[in-house]
Amino acid sequence: MSRWKGLPESLDQRVRQLVVQLRRLKDHSGLSLVSLAARTSYSKSSWERYLNGKKLPPRDAVAALARVCDADPTRLLALHEVAAQAWGAAAAPEAGRAADPADPPDPGGGADAAVAKEGAPRPAGGPRVRTGSLVVLAALGVVVVAAVALLIVRPWQQDAAGRGTAGTAAGRTAGAVPAFTHRVGETFDCRLTRGPGGLSAGRSRTTTAILGSGATGWDVVEAQCLLHHHGYDPGPVDGIVGENTQRAVKRLQAGAGLPTDGIVGPDTWQVLRR
């Protein structure tokens, strides 16, 4: 298992979630950065930047990582859409600042340098206009990204007892929080039902999420509830993969004849949903 550097504290939570999932997928595959570079069109240094939160990976890089790791790219690409919005929103203030005519020109950089490099003529007369494409893209992408976010992150509201409950359409309109939040000592209740997709605790519908040590979120709450149902005690249902949860997963995997790595993946989800 790789020892990753801590992600920058300033990194948006939506970007952080994407990077953490990419790291786990890479670690689970056993591939080194050199091997990853050899199997994709992206260099070792590029992967280092992507997996350390220094640069947002391109969509094609995310798809390539899923492909070489034999994983379903659907959820990763949805996470990338949300992360791209966050990344663009963070860059927008800087782009807006650069567009201020009162600012001094950016020597050797920015849109003017790109125009000069390509040999395209500049407009005759008037002040130079620098691109605000990041702002425009961020604004145009809000509706699309919001729709994708609803598909991958199920909104939850806090009921009177402080438990996370699935938000209704009315609740989402009223301001339901789509992101997982956790307070110290907080636990969640488990209410199991069986439907066309198999057993469910109503916290997440995933069958492909990869949950390793330290993972957090509603997918983890779902897995912990299902472990309880199958008779494997993961400890408190707190939405965090700790030692107790990993031990419970290993016992479930051993009983199902799966590799006992303690990581919840597609095969383990299949057993949990039975």
Side-chain angles (χ1 to χ4, degrees):
M1 189 70 70
S2 299
R3 293 187 177 182
W4 295 103
K5 296 179 181 178
L7 293 172
E9 293 183 2
S10 59
L11 198 64
D12 187 279
Q13 183 62 33
R14 290 163 290 182
V15 180
R16 185 183 297 271
Q17 185 178 10
L18 172 66
V19 175
V20 168
Q21 292 298 329
L22 296 179
R23 284 181 171 186
R24 288 177 184 152
L25 186 58
K26 181 263 181 193
D27 287 343
H28 191 53
S29 72
L31 293 173
S32 66
L33 291 179
V34 174
S35 299
L36 196 57
R39 298 190 184 193
T40 66
S41 58
Y42 299 89
S43 67
K44 175 176 177 289
S45 60
S46 292
W47 283 115
E48 285 176 337
R49 290 193 294 271
Y50 301 154
L51 296 175
N52 283 299
K54 296 179 181 178
K55 184 176 181 181
L56 183 72
R59 188 178 189 276
D60 289 344
V62 174
L65 178 62
R67 184 180 65 254
V68 300
C69 294
D70 295 325
D72 183 356
T74 305
R75 184 171 183 270
L76 288 175
L77 292 177
L79 286 173
H80 180 271
E81 291 287 346
V82 178
Q85 181 212 8
W87 194 277
E94 180 62 21
R97 188 199 66 79
D100 188 343
D103 280 352
D106 182 10
D112 289 338
V115 172
K117 182 176 180 180
E118 295 172 4
R122 293 193 178 113
R128 295 179 179 177
V129 179
R130 299 193 181 193
T131 180
S133 59
L134 286 175
V135 181
V136 175
L137 287 175
L140 293 178
V142 167
V143 175
V144 174
V145 174
V148 173
L150 287 176
L151 293 176
I152 65 168
V153 184
R154 184 164 181 164
W156 303 94
Q157 292 177 318
Q158 295 295 320
D159 63 13
R163 297 185 298 265
T165 57
T168 62
R172 286 193 288 271
T173 303
V177 180
F180 174 82
T181 57
H182 178 265
R183 294 184 292 271
V184 176
E186 181 181 21
T187 59
F188 304 91
D189 62 338
C190 297
R191 301 174 185 177
L192 279 295
T193 60
R194 188 174 294 278
L199 201 62
S200 172
R203 303 295 185 172
S204 168
R205 296 180 180 178
T206 184
T207 57
T208 59
I210 299 173
L211 308 177
S213 176
T216 63
W218 295 116
D219 292 342
V220 178
V221 175
E222 180 79 7
Q224 290 173 329
C225 286
L226 295 176
L227 284 166
H228 264 300
H229 175 79
H230 287 289
Y232 301 96
D233 184 10
V237 179
D238 55 5
I240 303 172
V241 176
E243 293 182 0
N244 291 335
T245 299
Q246 283 192 300
R247 280 195 293 267
V249 172
K250 288 180 180 179
R251 291 197 296 270
L252 173 82
Q253 291 171 330
L258 298 175
T260 55
D261 55 8
I263 299 175
V264 179
D267 292 338
T268 304
W269 279 114
Q270 187 175 6
V271 176
L272 288 171
R273 296 288 186 194
R274 289 176 184 170

